[in-house]
Amino acid sequence: DVKVTQSSRYLVKRTGEKVFLECVQDMDHENMFWYRQDPGLGLRLIYFSYDVKMKEKGDIPEGYSVSREKKERFSLILESASTNQTSMYLCASRLTGNSQPQHFGDGTRLSIL
Amino acid sequence: RKEVEQDPGPFNVPEGATVAFNCTYSNSASQSFFWYRQDCRKEPKLLMSVYSSGNEDGRFTAQLNRASQYISLLIRDSKLSDSATYLCVPTTSGTYKYIFGTGTRLKVLA
């Protein structure tokens, strides 16, 4: 079974802090993704990576950056946290190819105070 | 038109009922499709993959209508544990991004 592990289930941070969310997958997947999910808005793609050290902006990259130094790890960074970044953050991974399903971590519920 | 459209529901059905909901997609080049279920405050989990005209897995059947560009999910003999939000995901060759529908909420009532 694919295992995608996110570092924290719940996280509370203060406005202006730099926040790191970590994601690790154990299935040698090339592609990794960060989403945020808000009520009524569904899943929105922040950034994705199709290979080590490669990254691409998703639909809502502003205020975020990412790092992928190793194949199994994809980090999401909130450069200066703001209250509108309070959300559920979901990491996903999959093999290359559009017939491959994405597998999700169990999410990080982030609150910015 | 949105890339993926789903009726948000909720669909309230009694235990044992059959329920179906549709997902329409705008990109005619979409080739593969996934249904995910998402429980409240949890992550989406893969329910079914659809690569051709449809797929069946136990009580769940997915059917694809390429001409009308929709995919349906049919659940037979509904269980209380089927209560969840069901997300539709069409995929297109040549793009890394998957567009997730916002989901249809199902409530199975005792």
Side-chain angles (χ1 to χ4, degrees):
Chain A
D1 266 2
V2 176
K3 184 68 176 172
V4 181
T5 303
Q6 293 185 226
S7 52
S8 305
R9 290 297 304 275
Y10 300 94
L11 205 53
V12 180
K13 295 291 182 181
R14 296 208 173 273
T15 303
E17 280 193 70
K18 191 168 186 176
V19 181
F20 294 85
L21 302 183
E22 305 286 345
C23 175
V24 177
Q25 50 93 6
D26 67 357
M27 286 302 291
D28 205 34
H29 286 173
E30 296 91 1
N31 304 323
M32 296 188 75
F33 305 82
W34 274 107
Y35 295 87
R36 63 178 283 178
Q37 187 174 33
D38 302 286
L41 296 178
L43 284 161
R44 292 183 291 167
L45 182 63
I46 304 171
Y47 266 96
F48 66 98
S49 169
Y50 53 87
D51 204 348
V52 177
K53 296 192 186 292
M54 306 303 289
K55 59 186 178 186
E56 293 281 343
K57 292 180 180 179
D59 300 315
I60 52 162
E62 296 77 20
Y64 303 94
S65 63
V66 290
S67 173
R68 189 152 181 219
E69 295 297 316
K70 293 186 178 181
K71 192 174 186 179
E72 67 270 18
R73 186 179 297 269
F74 192 35
S75 304
L76 179 69
I77 303 144
L78 284 67
E79 298 292 344
S80 177
S82 63
T83 54
N84 63 12
Q85 292 178 309
T86 291
S87 187
M88 169 75 130
Y89 288 87
L90 288 156
C91 175
S93 74
R94 66 177 175 91
L95 290 168
T96 295
N98 69 298
S99 61
Q100 301 297 326
Q102 286 186 180
H103 301 272
F104 287 85
D106 51 14
T108 296
R109 194 162 290 277
L110 175 65
S111 295
I112 307 296
L113 304 179
Chain B
R1 183 182 176 185
K2 283 186 180 177
E3 292 184 76
V4 185
E5 289 197 73
Q6 294 185 255
D7 182 339
F11 284 57
N12 296 319
V13 302
E15 265 188 296
T18 296
V19 61
F21 24 84
N22 289 341
C23 165
T24 58
Y25 59 95
S26 62
N27 189 342
S28 59
S30 296
Q31 296 171 313
S32 304
F33 302 81
F34 303 107
W35 280 103
Y36 285 77
R37 72 167 279 164
Q38 185 172 24
D39 294 295
C40 189
R41 301 175 76 85
K42 297 285 184 69
E43 78 277 19
K45 292 185 178 176
L46 181 66
L47 179 67
M48 297 183 76
S49 305
V50 184
Y51 301 117
S52 57
S53 60
N55 195 6
E56 184 172 332
D57 184 3
R59 297 183 295 108
F60 298 83
T61 300
Q63 289 195 312
L64 174 61
N65 185 317
R66 290 191 187 274
S68 300
Q69 292 184 210
Y70 73 86
I71 183 165
S72 63
L73 181 66
L74 177 83
I75 305 174
R76 288 181 296 276
D77 188 23
S78 299
K79 313 288 185 194
L80 293 175
S81 57
D82 293 334
S83 297
T85 297
Y86 291 84
L87 309 176
C88 164
V89 190
T91 73
T92 306
S93 177
T95 176
Y96 290 97
K97 289 171 56 174
Y98 288 179
I99 308 298
F100 284 76
T102 51
T104 296
R105 191 169 170 209
L106 172 66
K107 289 184 181 179
V108 181
L109 308 171

